[in-house]
Amino acid sequence: MGTYLNVDTSSFESLRNTEYIDKSMLISYFNSCLDTTNRLLCVSRPRRFGKTSSIKMLAAYYNRDIDSHALFNDLLIARDKRYEMFINKYNTIFIDISEFIVTAEKNENVVDNIQKKICAELATIFPNVTNTQKLFDVLKEIRDITGNKFIVLIDEWDAIFRERSSDIELQNQYIAMLRGLFKSSITDRVIAGAYLTGILPIKKYGTQSALNNFNEFTMLNPEPLSEFIGFTEREVQDLCLRHNVNFSEMQRWYDGYVFGNTHIYNPKSVLSALQRKLFESYWTETETYLSLKKYIDMNFDGLKDSILIMVNGGRREIKTRTFQNDMLNIKSRDDVLTLLVHLGYLAFDRMTKEVYIPNEEIFEEFKNALDSKAWIVVQKALEESELLLQATLTGDGAKVAEIISREHLRSASVIKYNDENALASVLSIAYYSAKKDYYIFRELPTGKGFADLVFLPRTDMMLPALIVELKWDKSAPSAIKQIKDKQYTEALADYAGKVLLVGINYDKVTKEHQCVIEQWKRN
């Protein structure tokens, strides 16, 4: 076993000895890609989302210098029909690019050092090798001598683009090295598969990827590997049950990254909350708020206004195609928002092409990143949101209408205010503070139709549930009547507490809001 070739399994053993969540079926997917045209994978995700854990698992599985069955026999992969076919069958190269950057001497060429150190180790292990300068040439010669192909694993593949963002010459040398490894005419003869991890997708030059023969799985499009990005909701539920921790609070703080029907949680944050029995932001231990503030302060195309809308619970539509997948060529609001998705500060809804702040943890980081002037606006909006909720709970319809009118004026520049859907968007923003006490459902199917908004109190919250119906150019009483006529209250049939019916109408001629609130009387 070496430093780079067939490294020891102690790192993965340490993972198995802690609170381990079984992600071993990632191996099954990678096995299906080996020696096919899909053999090259690049999986990008934010810091502390389990990138290194996954790559250490792969290194332990394929390492041909050891027998690692004891580490995998009790995992899901052991039930896979191809489990024995690939375990401990490959010479495995493991490269951590960030390690080379951290340990580099002043003015040292990082790319040359990567090739030099790995080639020197391989030449020592395989003394018959004559080519000792270029990594791919060495791998090719070893393949010719032994008949064994390689698995190449590169962790933090994009570290040079992040840590040396202004060193274009170094970046070009690095891309040339990767092209030499993975775009050679004989790559298929030498490399059975490659798995790269990083925060950023592979860099683009113009509209083309520098390594366009890689299959990429990103925070914009992770399928079918979405369940391996972080912890799934079921896995977090099981952890909460095992540790007697409130899942609803875990959900409020760390949920929000949604891929299809899969909800993903940040593993670092979940495990920290379990260990400390404290829900708070653990993000500052991975990325400082200064990095977030830097991008917000660019304020391209009204970027800060978009951030303020999202901090208040809204969403913003973005175009992701112009982003060059690096931190230097940021030229528009959409580039910044796309980068923030890759960094984990925003979540992306692929159906609507919208971004949003995923949870309470990230909301705290945005609060820290916004300058004092911008935060005054946010703080005022949050105070208004709290007043709106209190007015609703006390049945003060006039006050509710007054606050919603102010929110309408504040949001009019960013929300096309011309129908009930737009009104629902304004209400979602206005009731942002309710998220800490309620589960909020929009367009909930119930009775004979769809309730516009339903607020269900979180566990242990002694609050009434709310059913909110919105009308446009009609009347607030007619909204209440629709709730009753279409039996929207069936959505809360199993809820034993008090239920308030809230009817809201907007008159586009008078530009006035009206609100009526009454308590539902059960039969």
Side-chain angles (χ1 to χ4, degrees):
M1 290 182 288
T3 303
Y4 310 105
L5 176 69
N6 297 331
V7 299
D8 71 59
T9 60
S10 58
S11 293
F12 186 59
E13 290 172 19
S14 296
L15 290 171
R16 289 300 321 269
N17 291 333
T18 54
E19 189 76 64
Y20 183 70
I21 298 297
D22 188 348
K23 296 291 183 179
S24 63
M25 289 308 288
L26 173 63
I27 298 171
S28 177
Y29 183 84
F30 194 36
N31 281 344
S32 72
C33 297
L34 298 182
D35 284 318
T36 73
T37 55
N38 299 318
R39 72 184 69 209
L40 307 177
L41 281 63
C42 182
V43 181
S44 57
R45 58 185 102 154
R47 289 191 185 277
R48 298 302 187 265
F49 269 72
K51 298 186 301 293
T52 300
S53 299
S54 295
I55 212 164
K56 286 177 177 178
M57 175 182 70
L58 295 175
Y61 176 79
Y62 292 109
N63 186 337
R64 67 178 287 114
D65 280 355
I66 61 169
D67 180 352
S68 58
H69 282 80
L71 289 171
F72 293 95
N73 279 344
D74 62 335
L75 299 182
L76 291 172
I77 185 59
R79 306 175 195 173
D80 190 84
K81 62 183 179 181
R82 289 177 294 196
Y83 173 58
E84 291 291 347
M85 188 184 306
F86 296 105
I87 190 169
N88 305 135
K89 294 297 193 297
Y90 290 95
N91 281 320
T92 306
I93 300 289
F94 182 100
I95 308 171
D96 182 349
I97 300 298
S98 62
E99 181 181 312
F100 280 95
I101 295 174
V102 170
T103 60
E105 300 289 340
K106 186 177 181 180
N107 299 322
E108 184 176 49
N109 187 305
V110 175
V111 174
D112 286 346
N113 199 33
I114 291 171
Q115 300 217 68
K116 177 182 174 182
K117 286 189 174 181
I118 300 174
C119 288
E121 178 175 294
L122 293 172
T124 301
I125 297 171
F126 300 96
N128 293 331
V129 169
T130 58
N131 295 311
T132 59
Q133 301 301 313
K134 297 289 186 180
L135 179 55
F136 183 75
D137 291 340
V138 175
L139 297 182
K140 174 183 175 297
E141 191 169 354
I142 293 172
R143 163 69 173 90
D144 292 341
I145 292 171
T146 65
N148 297 318
K149 290 186 179 182
F150 286 87
I151 298 286
V152 178
L153 308 173
I154 301 180
D155 197 17
E156 302 285 359
W157 90 269
D158 60 329
I160 284 176
F161 294 99
R162 292 185 284 106
E163 304 297 332
R164 302 287 181 87
S165 60
S166 60
D167 194 337
I168 305 302
E169 182 179 353
L170 178 64
Q171 293 174 21
N172 289 336
Q173 291 174 3
Y174 179 54
I175 286 294
M177 183 191 82
L178 295 179
R179 282 178 176 271
L181 276 171
F182 303 121
K183 293 203 75 170
S184 166
S185 60
I186 57 172
T187 292
D188 293 354
R189 277 183 49 203
V190 178
I191 296 175
Y195 188 96
L196 278 56
T197 71
I199 295 174
L200 299 175
I202 292 173
K203 179 175 170 54
K204 293 179 183 176
Y205 290 93
T207 60
Q208 296 297 315
S209 167
L211 294 167
N212 57 12
N213 54 338
F214 269 78
N215 288 320
E216 293 197 71
F217 306 88
T218 73
M219 293 298 283
L220 297 174
N221 189 6
E223 286 85 358
L225 302 185
S226 53
E227 67 180 286
F228 305 117
I229 285 177
F231 290 169
T232 65
E233 187 160 88
R234 175 51 60 89
E235 289 165 347
V236 174
Q237 287 175 329
D238 291 344
L239 285 169
C240 288
L241 186 62
R242 194 183 315 160
H243 290 267
N244 194 27
V245 168
N246 187 316
F247 171 70
S248 295
E249 279 299 286
M250 189 73 79
Q251 189 177 44
R252 179 169 76 89
W253 272 90
Y254 310 117
D255 188 14
Y257 304 96
V258 184
F259 307 106
N261 295 321
T262 304
H263 286 242
I264 293 297
Y265 294 65
N266 181 337
K268 163 67 176 176
S269 300
V270 169
L271 292 177
S272 295
L274 290 174
Q275 181 183 27
R276 303 183 191 185
K277 303 291 191 227
L278 184 65
F279 296 108
E280 62 181 15
S281 175
Y282 297 101
W283 201 261
T284 51
E285 298 178 18
T286 63
E287 293 278 357
T288 67
Y289 85 94
L290 291 175
S291 64
L292 179 57
K293 178 177 171 56
K294 177 177 71 174
Y295 295 113
I296 293 175
D297 286 346
M298 289 180 176
N299 204 25
F300 287 114
D301 308 321
L303 171 66
K304 196 170 286 189
D305 290 338
S306 295
I307 297 295
L308 292 177
I309 290 298
M310 288 189 287
V311 164
N312 282 283
R315 293 181 170 214
R316 302 301 287 141
E317 187 175 345
I318 67 168
K319 298 176 182 178
T320 62
R321 293 182 65 85
T322 62
F323 182 54
Q324 296 296 299
N325 297 344
D326 66 30
M327 294 181 164
L328 191 61
N329 295 297
I330 304 293
K331 299 178 180 178
S332 69
R333 182 199 69 151
D334 286 341
D335 285 350
V336 174
L337 295 180
T338 303
L339 174 59
L340 294 180
V341 172
H342 291 300
L343 294 176
Y345 285 114
L346 294 176
F348 178 67
D349 186 328
R350 203 168 69 201
M351 295 295 293
T352 62
K353 309 299 181 187
E354 293 174 326
V355 290
Y356 57 94
I357 295 173
N359 52 47
E360 189 69 22
E361 179 179 47
I362 303 302
F363 172 70
E364 289 294 319
E365 293 309 303
F366 272 96
K367 275 174 42 177
N368 291 335
L370 288 166
D371 61 44
S372 57
K373 183 178 179 181
W375 180 240
I376 288 173
V377 177
V378 176
Q379 190 63 45
K380 182 173 177 58
L382 291 176
E383 289 171 358
E384 285 271 89
S385 181
E386 192 64 41
L387 289 173
L388 175 63
L389 179 60
Q390 291 305 314
T392 305
L393 296 178
T394 57
D396 190 343
K399 188 68 174 178
V400 169
E402 176 189 333
I403 296 172
I404 291 174
S405 293
R406 288 199 294 265
E407 180 58 43
H408 167 199
L409 291 174
R410 197 172 64 83
S411 303
S413 63
V414 291
I415 294 178
K416 192 174 181 180
Y417 202 85
N418 60 3
D419 57 20
E420 290 176 27
N421 287 329
L423 182 58
S425 296
V426 170
L427 263 292
S428 295
I429 295 172
Y431 276 107
Y432 180 81
S433 69
K435 289 184 176 182
K436 69 179 184 300
D437 298 326
Y438 285 91
Y439 299 105
I440 303 176
F441 304 94
R442 185 171 169 180
E443 292 293 332
L444 184 68
T446 179
K448 300 176 182 178
F450 295 83
D452 286 330
L453 291 167
V454 174
F455 295 68
L456 182 64
R458 293 181 180 275
T459 307
D460 301 327
M461 299 302 300
M462 303 299 293
L463 293 169
L466 311 173
I467 299 177
V468 182
E469 182 62 25
L470 310 174
K471 287 297 178 184
W472 181 270
D473 278 341
K474 293 182 181 177
S475 70
S478 71
I480 296 290
K481 185 175 185 300
Q482 180 169 318
I483 294 174
K484 295 175 180 177
D485 289 348
K486 294 195 175 183
Q487 300 172 6
Y488 291 164
T489 51
E490 286 188 9
L492 301 173
D494 296 330
Y495 178 69
K498 185 166 72 171
V499 177
L500 297 180
L501 311 183
V502 182
I504 297 172
N505 179 66
Y506 176 68
D507 188 316
K508 69 179 181 182
V509 176
T510 64
K511 299 190 182 302
E512 292 182 350
H513 294 80
Q514 179 189 22
C515 177
V516 173
I517 302 171
E518 66 176 60
Q519 184 173 338
W520 175 44
K521 297 178 181 179
R522 299 175 188 269
N523 294 329

